[in-house]
């Protein structure tokens, strides 16, 4: 894990472990949006509209995830993705 950590500071006193664009399904509006995600050392994912953004649009606390599933893309029939990841917390089902 130490080799993956970058020198980029994340929110608070965290270190960015990985960052990339990921397509995320909306919670209220069920449309798909490309979001810039940062996985930080405090086991959280913060997502932004673009890499330069300083304020996160939201976050996922990975310590609250009770299950992770791979969902075939043709199940939702909304996009042409090969598969989705479903992260399940007590408050929400995240599709990435």
């Amino acid at each position: 894990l130490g080799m993956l950590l970058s020198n980029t500071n994340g929110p608070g006193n965290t270190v960015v472990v990985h960052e990339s664009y990921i397509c995320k399904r909306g919670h209220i509006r069920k449309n798909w949006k490309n979001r810039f995600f940062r996985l930080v050392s405090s086991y959280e994912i913060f997502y932004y509209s673009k890499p330069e953004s300083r304020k996160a649009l939201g976050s996922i606390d990975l310590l609250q995830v009770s299950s992770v599933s791979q969902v075939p893309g043709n199940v939702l029939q909304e996009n042409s993705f090969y598969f989705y990841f479903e992260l399940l917390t007590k408050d929400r089902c995240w599709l990435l």
Side-chain angles (χ1 to χ4, degrees):
L1 181 65
M3 294 188 313
L4 296 174
L5 298 178
S6 74
N7 291 331
T8 308
N9 292 331
N13 291 327
T14 60
V15 175
V16 174
V17 176
H18 186 75
E19 52 188 18
S20 180
Y21 277 98
I22 300 177
C23 201
K24 171 189 130 356
R25 187 175 182 191
H27 181 58
I28 296 171
R29 293 184 184 196
K30 302 297 182 190
N31 56 339
W32 291 87
K33 294 274 189 172
N34 275 334
R35 296 292 183 220
F36 189 75
F37 281 72
R38 286 192 175 106
L39 171 64
V40 297
S41 57
S42 61
Y43 302 102
E44 293 175 282
I45 298 174
F46 292 89
Y47 55 93
Y48 306 81
S49 58
K50 52 190 174 185
E52 307 84 43
S53 298
R54 296 192 144 268
K55 184 175 181 183
L57 296 173
S59 65
I60 304 170
D61 183 352
L62 296 177
L63 295 176
Q64 299 299 314
V65 173
S66 58
S67 72
V68 177
S69 303
Q70 180 180 331
V71 180
N74 61 353
V75 169
L76 297 176
Q77 297 179 354
E78 296 173 0
N79 271 318
S80 59
F81 301 124
Y82 292 111
F83 62 88
Y84 308 90
F85 285 108
E86 179 183 81
L87 305 178
L88 188 61
T89 67
K90 66 178 179 144
D91 298 322
R92 184 168 172 187
C93 176
W94 297 84
L95 286 173
L96 309 174

